[in-house]
Amino acid sequence: MQQFIQMPPPGKKTPAGRFALFNLGFRPFFLLASAFAAISIAAWMWSYLRFTLPPLFYVSASQWHAHEMLYGFAFAVIAGFLLTAVKNWTGRQTLQGQALAALVACWAGARAVMLIAPDLIILAAVLDLTFNLWLMLAIAHPIIQVKQWRQLGVLAKVAVLTLGNAAFYAQALGWSMNGAHAAIWIGLLLNVSLILVISRRILPGFIERGVQEQVTLKNMAWLDRLLMLLLVVLLLNILTADSPMANMVLGLTIATANSIRLLRWHTPGLWRVPLLWSFYSGLWLITAGFFLYALSFTNSGVALILAIHCWAIGGIGVITLAMMARVALGHTGRNIHKPPASVAWIFGLCIAATLSRVFLPLLWPETYRLSVMLAATCWIVAFTWFCICYWPILSKPRIDGTPG
């Protein structure tokens, strides 16, 4: 896994074409996910400012917003990451060319229907779940072929996300009463769980190789297993008994455990490397989200929505930007130690969006509406800037002439 997101070994060179967007999964999914991140929040702000957004009958506008960010934006980033990572892990080719374009079309079609024609929700459900199931098969096949059973945990998380997506559509179609609630919590905590699993595998190595000082970072296996167990228990509690006391204790324990892990990964040199401090900051924002989650079940006055947005903007948003920026460089033959100068500003804008959406209303509640608008503006600018900056990187062939 540590080899992933580094420059892959050279293969047989192929003639450079002009357009390479469908050469490997990270290319179209990273680009379109970033574009959709900006478009979806712009649509949500249109609704928030009391303009019009086509309503869904059985789910609320806020549930639509949460679904599109978790199962639209974030799931697309996961798809791009895994289609690329599985090829690296197994040495087997994943979807490319027309097959990859068709998978992307399923995802994009579902997003378009949900945005402009929600009365055709059954079409969105068919397209979205086809995308989910096809993705599972596409990554499961090479894993099973080479018998890399240790990767089945990641595959299982994608399967659970697919079930969560199906639960949302079940309510959107009027077939269930609480499917959207379950889907949002599954999507949120499973995305956080995937981030924590992947970061445990790759970030210590990134830091060791990316800083100037000599440092050796080690994981504690028992702490990693504890974190995963606690996340599972938290999700089960939310979906069943939803005990406030259990939520508070679990949130505080997860935050403390992840703080210990992050402190063990710290070295001063990482703050000089944008592709490191962005990832590391995002993990601290996830941790802050769990502290806020625990506080929301006390008399502190902390609203649950602040914890949710700390995870979503600060965790999922910042870390997906950092991951996409690094993967795109490494897998197009570029130097991961020399990213475009603008990435630091892009990461900073997404972190600013988190601070505005979460901590500004926490300190000054009267600024709530302003904080939402400011956060949305920072988010939209960050992801639009990423698309503009990375379009040539993602759409053109590798600079070393090798496939991918």
Side-chain angles (χ1 to χ4, degrees), residues 244-245 247-253 255 287-307 311 359 362:
M245 179 59 71
N247 284 332
M248 181 181 68
V249 171
L250 287 166
L252 184 60
T253 307
T287 305
F290 281 106
F291 278 121
L292 292 172
Y293 180 77
L295 287 172
S296 72
F297 294 96
T298 67
N299 295 322
S300 62
V302 174
L304 177 60
I305 195 67
L306 299 182
W311 290 325
F359 297 101
L362 190 63

Side-chain angles (χ1 to χ4, degrees), residues 270-295:
L270 68 84
W271 298 107
R272 293 190 290 269
V273 184
L275 291 180
L276 294 179
W277 63 249
S278 54
F279 207 130
Y280 191 73
S281 298
L283 290 172
W284 271 114
L285 288 170
I286 285 178
T287 305
F290 281 106
F291 278 121
L292 292 172
Y293 180 77
L295 287 172

Side-chain angles (χ1 to χ4, degrees), residues 15-29:
R18 294 183 179 180
F19 189 69
L21 190 62
F22 297 105
N23 283 11
L24 198 54
F26 75 95
R27 292 176 175 272
F29 278 116

Side-chain angles (χ1 to χ4, degrees), residues 103-115:
L103 182 68
V104 171
C106 289
W107 173 86
R111 306 285 70 78
V113 172
M114 291 292 283
L115 184 62

